[in-house]
Amino acid sequence: MDHRPQAWGRPRDDIYGAYDHSYLNHSGPKTATQSPVVTGTSVVAIKFNEGVVIAADNLASYGSLARFTDVKRLRTFLGTSVVGFGGDVSDMQFLDRHLNELAIDEAYDQEPTSDSADAGKEGLNAANLHKYLQKLMYKRRNDFDPLWNQILIAGLDSDSKPFLASVDLRGTTFTSPSLATGFGAMLAQPIMRLHAATEEDAAKLTRDQAVEVIKECMKVLYYRDARSLDRYSIAVVTKDGIDLKEDEQLEKQSWAFAERIKGYGTQTV
Amino acid sequence: MFRNNYDNDSVTFSPQGRIFQVEYAAEAVKQGSVVVGIASKTHVVLVAIKRNAEELSSYQKKLFSIDEHVGIAIAGLTSDARVLSNFMKQQCLGHRLTYGRSMPVRSLVEMIGSKAQINTQHYGKRPYGVGLLIAGVDESGPHLFEFQPSGMTEEMVAFAIGARSQMARTYLEKNLDKFADCGREELIAHGLKALKESLVQDKELTVENTSVAVAGAKTKDGSSKSEPFKVYDGQDVNAWIENVADEKEAAAGGRALRVWTSTHRGMIMTTILLRDLRLPSTSRNIYLVGRREPPAIRLAGRLAGQAEPRDRAFRRGTLYNKNQTSSTKRQIAR
C-alpha cells in the first residue's frame, strides 16, 4: 500500500489504472494559475443620487457546468462598502479572507472614544479600498500569479459622494457612473447607459429607479448569458449603510421569445 | 567605589526592577530644549525653543513636518530623531500610496512605539535618546501624542517635554479646560505662554529661537477647512511672539516695544515699534521711522515711558503703520 501523500485520496491504480502524475508535478518551475477554474459571471452596478446599487447572481460555474448555486459574490466591507467579484471563485474566497483581516485591523485602529453614530465612517472608505485592491491585484500580476478576478467596488468616497470603480486581474482600474464585468460589460452596460450615461444623469436617478435598472439588467443577463442564474444578490449602499439581499429571485420572466430561436436542440429546421 | 553593574545594556533588570539604559535615555530627553504641544477640537499646535551651540552657529531645528498632515517636535538627540522622522515619512508615504488617504496619526505613533520598544529588549541595541511630540490631523480630527524612548506612547490634550518642561506643564494643567474650544491663534498664544514659563531668567522668545507649527482639521459643519501641517520660523512668528510679549504690559498702557536701526539711501534710520493700547486692536502696532540722531533715540526712551507721540523729532520722521486705516493715521499724526 502506498502511503505517500501523493497517493492520498487517489483511485487505486490496480483498479482504475495508473494515475497521470503530471497533474501533481513536484519538479520543474512553479506554475501559478493559468486560467480560472470555478468562476462567477457578471457583476453589474450603477450610481444614483445618494449611493450605488450593485448586483451579481449566486452561481459558481465549473466550466459550463452550473456547479454551485448558492455562492454569495457580493461581500461587505466595514459596513460601508460592497465588493462584487467576477472570475475565479477560489481567488474571490482568498480576497474575502484577506479583506476580513484588513477590516479587523482597521477596526482596532479606530478611535476608542468615537461615538457609535460615526462608527465606520473614519475607517477605509470605498475609494481607499479600491486603491488598496488595485495595488494588490497589480502586485500579484507582477509576480506572474494573478488573482483571476474582475472586481467592482461600490460605496462612498471621502466627501460622502457615491463611488463606483473596477479593478481587474491586471490591476487595471476604471470608473464610470455604471460598470459591469464579464458578459455584463456587453449585455448590461448599454442598458445602464440609457439611464445614466454621465455623472449628471446618475445624480438624477432615484434609488428605486436605479434598483429597477439593475433588476432589468439581471434579467437580460439571465436570458442571454448561458453561465448565469435566476437567483441573485443585490446591495444598495448609501450613507445610512448597506441594504444587502442575498437570495433574490428574478421576477416577471418571459421566455416566449425562446420558441422562435432556431438552430439548437431537437428542431428539424 | 560605587559602580552600577546593571546599566551596561538595556536587557538587564536591576534588582529594584529598573532598566537603567532606558532611564538614561529618558534623561537625554530632559537635556533637550523644551517643546510644547496643545490640541483643541479644530487645531493642534507645536511650539519650541531652538538652541544654537555657539554664538556663531545657526539654531538647531526642533519642529519637522512628516507628511501633509503630521509633524513632530523633538527633544533629545537630533540624530536619533532623524532616524525616526525618516521612518515616519516612509510610512506615511507608503500609506498614502496604498490607500490613497493620510495615515491615521494613532497607527503611525504605535509603529514608532513598537520600533522603539524593540531597542529596549535586545542585547547590543540602545534605546532612542529622543522624545517626540507628534501632532497631526486625520479623519477623526486633530491629535497630539507623546513618545518616549521606552516605547511608551500616549495621546495628550497638551504636553511639554525637554529641559525645565515641568514649568510649561504646570501652565498647561492650569489652563487645561480652555484648550478644547480654542481657535488657531488662541492655541498658539497658549503654547507660547507655556513655553515662556520654561525659559531661564534672562532669556526671551525671539524670532531666532522660536518655532511654531500648526495643523487644522476639517470640521463636520464646514466652518473650518483642513489646514496642512506647517512649520513657521523667523519673521513669520514675530506677530505671535509680540502678541504674548505685550499682554504682560497691557496694563501699563502704550510703550515702545523695539528700537532698531537700518540704512536707507546712505542715511541711518531709526525705527521704533510702538504699541499704543489706546488704539483699536487692529492698529495697535505703529512703526516710527526717523533719522538716527539723539532726539529720535530720546524719543524712543520717552515713548517707552508713555510719552505723548507729539514730539517734534517724531513729527520730523515718517510715521506709518502696516495695517492702519488712513483716519487713524491722521489721528496719530496730529
Side-chain angles (χ1 to χ4, degrees), chain B residues 76-257:
Chain B
L77 304 182
T78 311
S79 35
D80 281 12
R82 204 179 63 89
V83 174
L84 284 171
S85 147
N86 281 344
F87 174 78
M88 291 166 87
K89 283 177 182 176
Q90 282 181 19
Q91 293 304 319
C92 283
L93 223 49
H95 195 95
R96 219 171 257 288
L97 200 70
T98 39
Y99 298 100
R101 67 165 184 181
S102 40
M103 189 170 193
V105 185
R106 177 180 291 276
S107 20
L108 178 66
V109 172
E110 274 169 15
M111 289 185 96
I112 56 164
S114 314
K115 195 172 154 67
Q117 196 278 337
I118 288 168
N119 291 340
T120 68
Q121 226 177 0
H122 283 270
Y123 188 79
K125 289 184 183 288
R126 68 163 175 83
Y128 290 107
V130 70
L132 306 178
L133 292 181
I134 301 103
V137 289
D138 55 27
E139 283 151 330
S140 57
H143 298 282
L144 175 72
F145 286 89
E146 176 206 0
F147 161 86
Q148 286 291 335
S150 60
M152 188 226 59
T153 58
E154 196 158 24
E155 177 148 28
M156 298 302 214
V157 173
F159 205 58
I161 53 173
R164 300 164 57 87
S165 58
Q166 183 53 52
M167 316 279 274
R169 283 200 295 277
T170 308
Y171 173 90
L172 295 172
E173 280 163 23
K174 216 181 285 171
N175 295 280
L176 190 63
D177 301 333
K178 297 177 194 162
F179 298 147
D181 296 311
C182 273
R184 185 180 189 270
E185 302 303 315
E186 292 171 278
L187 215 54
I188 294 170
H190 276 303
L192 289 173
K193 280 188 217 161
L195 207 57
K196 283 176 90 173
E197 297 285 323
S198 291
L199 289 176
V200 285
Q201 195 63 55
D202 51 351
K203 231 177 152 192
E204 272 186 80
L205 296 182
T206 66
V207 290
E208 284 82 28
N209 72 6
T210 311
S211 270
V212 176
V214 199
K218 190 169 68 180
T219 50
K220 275 174 193 146
D221 57 3
S223 59
S224 167
K225 271 203 293 188
S226 89
E227 179 187 347
F229 186 89
K230 192 174 176 215
V231 180
Y232 298 88
D233 281 302
Q235 285 303 321
D236 294 341
V237 302
N238 195 21
W240 289 320
I241 294 174
E242 276 170 12
N243 183 35
V244 290
D246 290 335
E247 294 193 5
K248 208 184 275 175
E249 292 110 33
R255 58 166 289 188
L257 293 171

Side-chain angles (χ1 to χ4, degrees), chain A residues 85-88 91-92 95 137 147-151 167-169:
Chain A
F85 296 91
D88 194 273
D91 285 351
M92 173 188 91
L95 280 167
M137 299 297 268
L147 293 166
W148 219 285
N149 297 103
Q150 292 90 273
I151 302 172
V167 57
D168 69 7
L169 68 164

